Amino acid sequence: GAVVSQHPSWVICKSGTSVKIECRSLDFQATTMFWYRQFPKQSLMLMATSNEGSKATYEQGVEKDKFLINHASLTLSTLTVTSAHPEDSSFYICSAPSGTGGYGYTFGSGTRLTVV
Amino acid sequence: QKEVEQDPGPLSVPEGAIVSLNCTYSNSAFQYFMWYRQYSRKGPELLMYTYSSGNKEDGRFTAQVDKSSKYISLFIRDSQPSDSATYLCAPPGYNKLIFGAGTRLAVHP
């Protein structure tokens, strides 16, 4: 089945530094990638949608200059958290439409970011 | 009004119980519905999807959709401790998934 490989699975960084999270579609082409953030015991909140070869679309309230998204190829999308602060500590998950059953979205395994 | 409403729980049941998880939605344009299961600190995985009103069964899981009342349910029969997870309903809307809050389920031996 379709697989989205997300790395790293966890990262700890110092406040003020930047962190890059990668999501790769392994056996299918992902023209679109969705990026979600999930705080403890809360649901997934869509942050932005990246499209290969064009600018990402950000949800209302998400700072585009802080969360830089690049979708340079049909198999790779990256999210960079710039100048990270402790309040950015969260679980970040990517997802791509994979056509599973005609309606499926395949999720990465998530990245737990802790900013200290 | 949120597009998808789901009781966050937590829901705690004994092993072997029948579990009922429910969602309501507001947008009548939603055509199909998916249930995802998310284990702690993992990405969600597709459990079931259903297009039409009525029931769809897959092993111990049954998804039910009532479009007239905008109500969707997931039933788990003979629940197992391995079913302990968060269950998210997600009707796709405008090329993106819209998640409910998720219901945390704990099945204890």
Side-chain angles (χ1 to χ4, degrees), chain B residues 1 10 23 28 30 33 35 37 41-43 52-53 59 64 72 81-82 102-104:
Chain B
Q1 180 185 11
C23 280
S28 58
F30 291 150
F33 307 88
W35 283 97
R37 176 174 60 194
R41 301 192 179 192
K42 299 290 185 183
S52 58
S53 285
Q64 187 177 77
I72 56 179
S82 58
T103 299
R104 285 181 291 129

Side-chain angles (χ1 to χ4, degrees), chain B:
Chain B
Q1 180 185 11
K2 292 183 179 179
E3 289 192 280
V4 181
E5 299 271 9
Q6 188 176 7
D7 186 342
L11 184 61
S12 181
V13 302
E15 184 175 355
I18 296 174
V19 177
S20 173
L21 305 168
N22 307 297
C23 280
T24 59
Y25 62 96
S26 59
N27 191 339
S28 58
F30 291 150
Q31 293 298 307
Y32 55 96
F33 307 88
M34 291 184 269
W35 283 97
Y36 281 83
R37 176 174 60 194
Q38 185 181 23
Y39 291 110
S40 181
R41 301 192 179 192
K42 299 290 185 183
E45 56 180 344
L46 180 64
L47 192 60
M48 292 185 71
Y49 69 92
T50 183
Y51 183 81
S52 58
S53 285
N55 295 349
K56 181 178 180 179
E57 191 172 318
D58 184 1
R60 297 185 293 111
F61 299 89
T62 299
Q64 187 177 77
V65 176
D66 183 347
K67 290 188 176 181
S68 62
S69 58
K70 300 188 183 67
Y71 194 85
I72 56 179
S73 301
L74 178 69
F75 299 96
I76 307 175
R77 292 185 300 279
D78 187 25
S79 56
Q80 302 295 309
S82 58
D83 295 328
S84 298
T86 297
Y87 291 80
L88 302 137
C89 61
Y94 310 112
N95 294 321
K96 61 184 180 183
L97 288 176
I98 301 170
F99 284 99
T103 299
R104 285 181 291 129
L105 171 66
V107 181
H108 51 87

